[in-house]
Amino acid sequence: ALLIQARHLFYGISMLDKFKGTGWKKFFLIFGMCDETFSVNYTAKIPEGGTKAGLALGYIFKSVLLGFAATTGGLIGSLLKFDTSGISFVMTAMFVVIFLEQWLKEKNHVSSLMGIAVSVICLICFRADSFMLPTMAIIVLLLALSRKKLEPVEI
C-alpha cells in the first residue's frame, strides 16, 4: 500500500511550480490530487479569466464527486453478481494514457526516457516483486541531480 500510494509524492513534486502563487490553496491542491486530477491539472490550459487554483480546485471537486459516485456504485455493485475477470488491464491502460498525454505536451523527453530506462533496468535487476521502491528512489535521485539541466529556460 505504501509503494502504491508513493506515486503521490511524484505528483506533488511535479506540481510545486505549477501551483506557485496559489497561497494557502497550494497544499490542498497538491494533497487533493488523484491520478486523474493530476493528469488533467498537469496538461490543462487555464482558460482566459481563470486561475490555476480555480481550475485545479474545480477538477479536484469533480474528482471528489466522482469518488462518491464510485463508492456508491461499488456498494450497489457488491450486491449484484457480476464477473469482472478480464478487465484487469484498466489501471495499466489509464497510466499509459496519462504518460502519453504528458509525452505529447512536453518538448523535452529526457525525464520520461530516464524513467522508462530506470524502470526497465530495475525490473531486470530486482524482478517484478520488488522493483518499484528502488525504481522510484533512483528516479527521484536522478531527477534531483539533473533538475537544473531539465528545467525549461525562461526568456
Side-chain angles (χ1 to χ4, degrees):
L2 175 66
L3 293 177
I4 290 171
Q5 298 308 323
R7 70 187 185 281
H8 291 280
L9 293 171
F10 292 94
Y11 295 170
I13 290 169
S14 64
M15 296 301 278
L16 287 173
D17 287 336
K18 190 156 180 98
F19 291 149
K20 189 179 282 185
T22 57
W24 63 270
K25 297 174 201 141
K26 181 180 195 174
F27 297 105
F28 178 74
L29 293 171
I30 290 172
F31 291 111
M33 278 189 293
C34 64
D35 302 325
E36 295 80 6
T37 55
F38 167 75
S39 179
V40 171
N41 283 327
Y42 191 80
T43 58
K45 293 187 177 166
I46 300 167
E48 192 172 320
T51 64
K52 292 183 270 190
L55 181 70
L57 284 171
Y59 288 131
I60 291 170
F61 180 69
K62 288 176 188 175
S63 178
V64 169
L65 290 177
L66 288 172
F68 178 74
T71 301
T72 304
L75 292 173
I76 293 170
S78 68
L79 302 173
L80 306 172
K81 298 293 180 203
F82 181 74
D83 183 19
T84 59
S85 60
I87 61 168
S88 59
F89 67 91
V90 172
M91 287 299 285
T92 303
M94 181 186 70
F95 284 112
V96 168
V97 169
I98 289 171
F99 176 81
L100 289 175
E101 188 71 30
Q102 292 174 8
W103 179 275
L104 294 172
K105 181 183 180 277
E106 298 294 328
K107 292 179 182 162
N108 182 352
H109 301 297
V110 173
S111 59
S112 298
L113 294 171
M114 185 186 311
I116 291 170
V118 170
S119 298
V120 169
I121 291 168
C122 286
L123 183 59
I124 292 167
C125 293
F126 298 103
R127 305 285 180 221
D129 291 342
S130 56
F131 85 102
M132 190 61 74
L133 189 57
T135 300
M136 291 190 307
I138 293 169
I139 289 173
V140 167
L141 180 67
L142 289 174
L143 289 174
L145 292 173
S146 59
R147 181 176 179 190
K148 297 237 187 257
K149 292 179 184 176
L150 294 175
E151 286 181 342
V153 177
E154 294 189 28
I155 299 173

